[in-house]
Amino acid sequence: MIKNNVIVSPSILSADFANLEKEICKVEQAGADWIHVDVMDGHFVPNITIGIPVVKSLRKVTQLPLDVHLMIENPEKYVKDFADAGADIITFHYEAVDIENIKSLIDVIKSFGVKAGMSIKPKTHPDKVLPFLNDLDLLLVMTVEPGFGGQKFMEDCAEKIKFLKPCSPENLIIQVDGGINDTTAKICKEYGANSLVAGNYIYKSDDIKKAIELLRA
Ligand code: DX5
Ligand code: ZN
């Protein structure tokens, strides 16, 4: 059950990669709703992280939904592999797909029984996503430039939600990612976000349970 109607999705980018099972158990026991998995290819973003085999392994150690954030070029080539590996939500980037192929990519993701998400980078105008709001399960509004954890929250990015929320169907999940802590989470929730990704704030906290509660509060 999602408490307080806010979905908290800790990003394992800030976890200890040598002990991922333990790190996931830790946030699961502390009340996390989803596990956010940041996939980077060194092309769409200047960093390289993890991919399909890791998602497959994580699937065996947690019951929580795996929220896979694809920061990669040509996401259409890989969505089936991520779905087969056990992803529950697959979010691709608007900027990584030709506009005429977006609708069919959303349909393909959904055809695997997976939630379809689309993300926009800080410089992308919110207008661009309007044609897709009724098809998507999740819209991810990046509040930092994708690529690295631990960056500073950009409030003007979160403000896009103020514009998008009234145009969105009731059941669209609006997620934010980047620089989220107890203070910035409040701002995002006021604008209408109902899913919060947090890496550093959760994993660097001395009291993870409290950190997750504060995000929901
Ligand atoms: C950044 C990733 C984020 C990252 C967030 O490109 O998409 O999910 O882990 O990290 P924090 O919460 O530390 O900003
Ligand atoms: Zn992310």
Side-chain angles (χ1 to χ4, degrees):
M1 201 186 68
I2 308 302
K3 296 126 254 171
N4 227 2
N5 292 327
V6 176
I7 299 164
V8 176
S9 192
S11 164
I12 56 166
L13 190 59
S14 298
D16 173 5
F17 276 11
N19 291 290
L20 274 184
E21 180 174 4
K22 233 178 17 196
E23 294 281 79
I24 284 177
C25 258
K26 209 153 76 174
V27 292
E28 188 165 353
Q29 281 165 6
D33 300 299
W34 294 353
I35 299 296
H36 187 82
V37 182
D38 286 302
V39 177
M40 306 188 191
D41 66 353
H43 293 278
F44 182 74
V45 288
N47 194 7
I48 300 177
T49 54
I50 53 180
I52 296 146
V54 175
V55 171
K56 200 167 171 189
S57 297
L58 297 183
R59 184 65 293 162
K60 296 182 197 146
V61 302
T62 181
Q63 301 289 321
L64 291 184
L66 296 175
D67 168 26
V68 175
H69 179 191
L70 299 181
M71 285 160 277
I72 62 173
E73 285 179 2
N74 305 119
E76 67 286 349
K77 284 192 187 166
Y78 303 98
V79 287
K80 182 171 190 310
D81 291 337
F82 279 102
D84 289 347
D88 296 279
I89 302 103
I90 297 180
T91 300
F92 63 90
H93 265 267
Y94 168 84
E95 302 84 2
V97 183
D98 288 338
I99 191 150
E100 64 273 18
N101 298 331
I102 289 181
K103 172 74 171 78
S104 62
L105 179 55
I106 294 170
D107 290 343
V108 167
I109 295 173
K110 286 180 165 177
S111 76
F112 303 135
V114 169
K115 279 191 171 46
M118 186 168 77
S119 179
I120 48 170
K121 297 209 284 184
K123 290 192 185 80
T124 300
H125 195 280
D127 265 358
K128 306 280 187 196
V129 302
L130 292 176
F132 309 105
L133 292 180
N134 285 309
D135 300 306
L136 288 166
D137 296 304
L138 179 147
L139 175 71
L140 167 53
V141 176
M142 289 303 298
T143 43
V144 298
E145 278 299 339
F148 300 91
Q151 302 182 73
K152 194 173 175 291
F153 175 75
M154 300 159 85
E155 184 166 353
D156 53 329
C157 294
E159 264 180 42
K160 293 176 190 176
I161 300 170
K162 234 190 336 193
F163 163 74
L164 289 167
K165 182 74 181 172
C167 317
S168 301
E170 189 71 22
N171 59 353
L172 179 73
I173 298 166
I174 301 186
Q175 186 176 64
V176 284
D177 181 6
I180 302 299
N181 56 36
D182 52 342
T183 311
T184 59
K186 254 193 202 82
I187 299 170
C188 294
K189 286 184 291 180
E190 267 162 31
Y191 289 146
N194 61 350
S195 174
L196 308 168
V197 175
N200 257 32
Y201 176 70
I202 291 178
Y203 273 106
K204 306 293 178 226
S205 161
D206 294 334
D207 186 343
I208 290 185
K209 192 163 185 280
K210 180 94 187 291
I212 292 177
E213 277 165 15
L214 286 174
L215 289 176
R216 285 191 210 287

PDB file of all heavy atoms in Angstrom, residues 9-25:
ATOM      1  N   SER A   9      10.878   6.110  -3.988  1.00  0.00           N
ATOM      2  CA  SER A   9      11.675   5.196  -4.808  1.00  0.00           C
ATOM      3  C   SER A   9      13.169   5.497  -4.611  1.00  0.00           C
ATOM      4  O   SER A   9      13.733   6.347  -5.297  1.00  0.00           O
ATOM      5  CB  SER A   9      11.245   5.389  -6.280  1.00  0.00           C
ATOM      6  OG  SER A   9      11.750   4.397  -7.117  1.00  0.00           O
ATOM      7  N   PRO A  10      13.803   4.833  -3.636  1.00  0.00           N
ATOM      8  CA  PRO A  10      15.231   5.096  -3.408  1.00  0.00           C
ATOM      9  C   PRO A  10      16.072   4.697  -4.619  1.00  0.00           C
ATOM     10  O   PRO A  10      15.872   3.625  -5.197  1.00  0.00           O
ATOM     11  CB  PRO A  10      15.569   4.192  -2.209  1.00  0.00           C
ATOM     12  CG  PRO A  10      14.260   3.916  -1.548  1.00  0.00           C
ATOM     13  CD  PRO A  10      13.250   3.891  -2.649  1.00  0.00           C
ATOM     14  N   SER A  11      16.994   5.572  -4.991  1.00  0.00           N
ATOM     15  CA  SER A  11      17.870   5.289  -6.127  1.00  0.00           C
ATOM     16  C   SER A  11      19.108   4.558  -5.639  1.00  0.00           C
ATOM     17  O   SER A  11      19.898   5.097  -4.843  1.00  0.00           O
ATOM     18  CB  SER A  11      18.279   6.593  -6.810  1.00  0.00           C
ATOM     19  OG  SER A  11      19.387   6.329  -7.643  1.00  0.00           O
ATOM     20  N   ILE A  12      19.310   3.349  -6.183  1.00  0.00           N
ATOM     21  CA  ILE A  12      20.468   2.561  -5.746  1.00  0.00           C
ATOM     22  C   ILE A  12      21.785   3.089  -6.324  1.00  0.00           C
ATOM     23  O   ILE A  12      22.843   2.558  -6.009  1.00  0.00           O
ATOM     24  CB  ILE A  12      20.305   1.057  -6.080  1.00  0.00           C
ATOM     25  CG1 ILE A  12      20.043   0.859  -7.575  1.00  0.00           C
ATOM     26  CG2 ILE A  12      19.219   0.438  -5.217  1.00  0.00           C
ATOM     27  CD1 ILE A  12      20.207  -0.591  -8.021  1.00  0.00           C
ATOM     28  N   LEU A  13      21.704   4.156  -7.111  1.00  0.00           N
ATOM     29  CA  LEU A  13      22.942   4.776  -7.605  1.00  0.00           C
ATOM     30  C   LEU A  13      23.824   5.233  -6.432  1.00  0.00           C
ATOM     31  O   LEU A  13      25.046   5.266  -6.542  1.00  0.00           O
ATOM     32  CB  LEU A  13      22.589   5.974  -8.501  1.00  0.00           C
ATOM     33  CG  LEU A  13      23.710   6.618  -9.293  1.00  0.00           C
ATOM     34  CD1 LEU A  13      24.375   5.614 -10.218  1.00  0.00           C
ATOM     35  CD2 LEU A  13      23.188   7.795 -10.114  1.00  0.00           C
ATOM     36  N   SER A  14      23.184   5.561  -5.313  1.00  0.00           N
ATOM     37  CA  SER A  14      23.949   6.018  -4.149  1.00  0.00           C
ATOM     38  C   SER A  14      24.238   4.874  -3.168  1.00  0.00           C
ATOM     39  O   SER A  14      24.779   5.109  -2.089  1.00  0.00           O
ATOM     40  CB  SER A  14      23.182   7.113  -3.403  1.00  0.00           C
ATOM     41  OG  SER A  14      22.991   8.218  -4.241  1.00  0.00           O
ATOM     42  N   ALA A  15      23.851   3.645  -3.541  1.00  0.00           N
ATOM     43  CA  ALA A  15      24.083   2.506  -2.640  1.00  0.00           C
ATOM     44  C   ALA A  15      25.483   1.941  -2.859  1.00  0.00           C
ATOM     45  O   ALA A  15      26.181   2.325  -3.796  1.00  0.00           O
ATOM     46  CB  ALA A  15      23.026   1.431  -2.927  1.00  0.00           C
ATOM     47  N   ASP A  16      25.870   1.021  -2.003  1.00  0.00           N
ATOM     48  CA  ASP A  16      27.156   0.337  -2.140  1.00  0.00           C
ATOM     49  C   ASP A  16      26.968  -0.806  -3.143  1.00  0.00           C
ATOM     50  O   ASP A  16      26.317  -1.809  -2.837  1.00  0.00           O
ATOM     51  CB  ASP A  16      27.569  -0.192  -0.753  1.00  0.00           C
ATOM     52  CG  ASP A  16      28.810  -1.052  -0.815  1.00  0.00           C
ATOM     53  OD1 ASP A  16      29.413  -1.161  -1.908  1.00  0.00           O
ATOM     54  OD2 ASP A  16      29.173  -1.628   0.229  1.00  0.00           O
ATOM     55  N   PHE A  17      27.528  -0.653  -4.333  1.00  0.00           N
ATOM     56  CA  PHE A  17      27.317  -1.640  -5.413  1.00  0.00           C
ATOM     57  C   PHE A  17      27.906  -3.012  -5.086  1.00  0.00           C
ATOM     58  O   PHE A  17      27.545  -3.999  -5.718  1.00  0.00           O
ATOM     59  CB  PHE A  17      27.899  -1.118  -6.735  1.00  0.00           C
ATOM     60  CG  PHE A  17      26.954  -0.209  -7.490  1.00  0.00           C
ATOM     61  CD1 PHE A  17      25.795   0.282  -6.906  1.00  0.00           C
ATOM     62  CD2 PHE A  17      27.222   0.152  -8.804  1.00  0.00           C
ATOM     63  CE1 PHE A  17      24.916   1.120  -7.611  1.00  0.00           C
ATOM     64  CE2 PHE A  17      26.354   0.979  -9.534  1.00  0.00           C
ATOM     65  CZ  PHE A  17      25.199   1.462  -8.925  1.00  0.00           C
ATOM     66  N   ALA A  18      28.805  -3.073  -4.121  1.00  0.00           N
ATOM     67  CA  ALA A  18      29.369  -4.378  -3.746  1.00  0.00           C
ATOM     68  C   ALA A  18      28.405  -5.156  -2.848  1.00  0.00           C
ATOM     69  O   ALA A  18      28.602  -6.343  -2.612  1.00  0.00           O
ATOM     70  CB  ALA A  18      30.704  -4.180  -3.045  1.00  0.00           C
ATOM     71  N   ASN A  19      27.386  -4.485  -2.369  1.00  0.00           N
ATOM     72  CA  ASN A  19      26.445  -5.117  -1.433  1.00  0.00           C
ATOM     73  C   ASN A  19      25.004  -4.770  -1.783  1.00  0.00           C
ATOM     74  O   ASN A  19      24.213  -4.411  -0.893  1.00  0.00           O
ATOM     75  CB  ASN A  19      26.731  -4.641   0.005  1.00  0.00           C
ATOM     76  CG  ASN A  19      28.044  -5.171   0.512  1.00  0.00           C
ATOM     77  OD1 ASN A  19      28.180  -6.361   0.767  1.00  0.00           O
ATOM     78  ND2 ASN A  19      29.028  -4.301   0.627  1.00  0.00           N
ATOM     79  N   LEU A  20      24.648  -4.909  -3.032  1.00  0.00           N
ATOM     80  CA  LEU A  20      23.328  -4.429  -3.474  1.00  0.00           C
ATOM     81  C   LEU A  20      22.161  -5.121  -2.774  1.00  0.00           C
ATOM     82  O   LEU A  20      21.162  -4.477  -2.450  1.00  0.00           O
ATOM     83  CB  LEU A  20      23.187  -4.571  -4.989  1.00  0.00           C
ATOM     84  CG  LEU A  20      23.729  -3.404  -5.809  1.00  0.00           C
ATOM     85  CD1 LEU A  20      23.434  -3.618  -7.283  1.00  0.00           C
ATOM     86  CD2 LEU A  20      23.115  -2.075  -5.359  1.00  0.00           C
ATOM     87  N   GLU A  21      22.272  -6.427  -2.541  1.00  0.00           N
ATOM     88  CA  GLU A  21      21.153  -7.129  -1.891  1.00  0.00           C
ATOM     89  C   GLU A  21      20.887  -6.519  -0.511  1.00  0.00           C
ATOM     90  O   GLU A  21      19.755  -6.193  -0.165  1.00  0.00           O
ATOM     91  CB  GLU A  21      21.448  -8.626  -1.773  1.00  0.00           C
ATOM     92  CG  GLU A  21      20.290  -9.363  -1.108  1.00  0.00           C
ATOM     93  CD  GLU A  21      20.454 -10.869  -1.095  1.00  0.00           C
ATOM     94  OE1 GLU A  21      21.513 -11.361  -1.529  1.00  0.00           O
ATOM     95  OE2 GLU A  21      19.511 -11.535  -0.643  1.00  0.00           O
ATOM     96  N   LYS A  22      21.971  -6.336   0.241  1.00  0.00           N
ATOM     97  CA  LYS A  22      21.850  -5.747   1.586  1.00  0.00           C
ATOM     98  C   LYS A  22      21.290  -4.325   1.511  1.00  0.00           C
ATOM     99  O   LYS A  22      20.435  -3.922   2.295  1.00  0.00           O
ATOM    100  CB  LYS A  22      23.240  -5.717   2.237  1.00  0.00           C
ATOM    101  CG  LYS A  22      23.216  -6.374   3.586  1.00  0.00           C
ATOM    102  CD  LYS A  22      24.495  -6.476   4.362  1.00  0.00           C
ATOM    103  CE  LYS A  22      25.666  -5.633   4.014  1.00  0.00           C
ATOM    104  NZ  LYS A  22      26.935  -6.023   4.543  1.00  0.00           N
ATOM    105  N   GLU A  23      21.771  -3.576   0.554  1.00  0.00           N
ATOM    106  CA  GLU A  23      21.361  -2.176   0.408  1.00  0.00           C
ATOM    107  C   GLU A  23      19.879  -2.057   0.047  1.00  0.00           C
ATOM    108  O   GLU A  23      19.202  -1.114   0.457  1.00  0.00           O
ATOM    109  CB  GLU A  23      22.213  -1.498  -0.664  1.00  0.00           C
ATOM    110  CG  GLU A  23      23.685  -1.362  -0.300  1.00  0.00           C
ATOM    111  CD  GLU A  23      23.951  -0.217   0.642  1.00  0.00           C
ATOM    112  OE1 GLU A  23      23.701  -0.388   1.856  1.00  0.00           O
ATOM    113  OE2 GLU A  23      24.399   0.844   0.188  1.00  0.00           O
ATOM    114  N   ILE A  24      19.385  -3.035  -0.713  1.00  0.00           N
ATOM    115  CA  ILE A  24      17.971  -3.014  -1.091  1.00  0.00           C
ATOM    116  C   ILE A  24      17.103  -3.449   0.078  1.00  0.00           C
ATOM    117  O   ILE A  24      16.067  -2.856   0.367  1.00  0.00           O
ATOM    118  CB  ILE A  24      17.746  -3.871  -2.352  1.00  0.00           C
ATOM    119  CG1 ILE A  24      18.266  -3.072  -3.555  1.00  0.00           C
ATOM    120  CG2 ILE A  24      16.280  -4.242  -2.540  1.00  0.00           C
ATOM    121  CD1 ILE A  24      18.204  -3.766  -4.864  1.00  0.00           C
ATOM    122  N   CYS A  25      17.564  -4.481   0.782  1.00  0.00           N
ATOM    123  CA  CYS A  25      16.851  -4.942   1.990  1.00  0.00           C
ATOM    124  C   CYS A  25      16.680  -3.796   2.980  1.00  0.00           C
ATOM    125  O   CYS A  25      15.620  -3.620   3.579  1.00  0.00           O
ATOM    126  CB  CYS A  25      17.687  -6.002   2.692  1.00  0.00           C
ATOM    127  SG  CYS A  25      17.086  -7.609   2.370  1.00  0.00           S
TER     128      CYS A  25
END
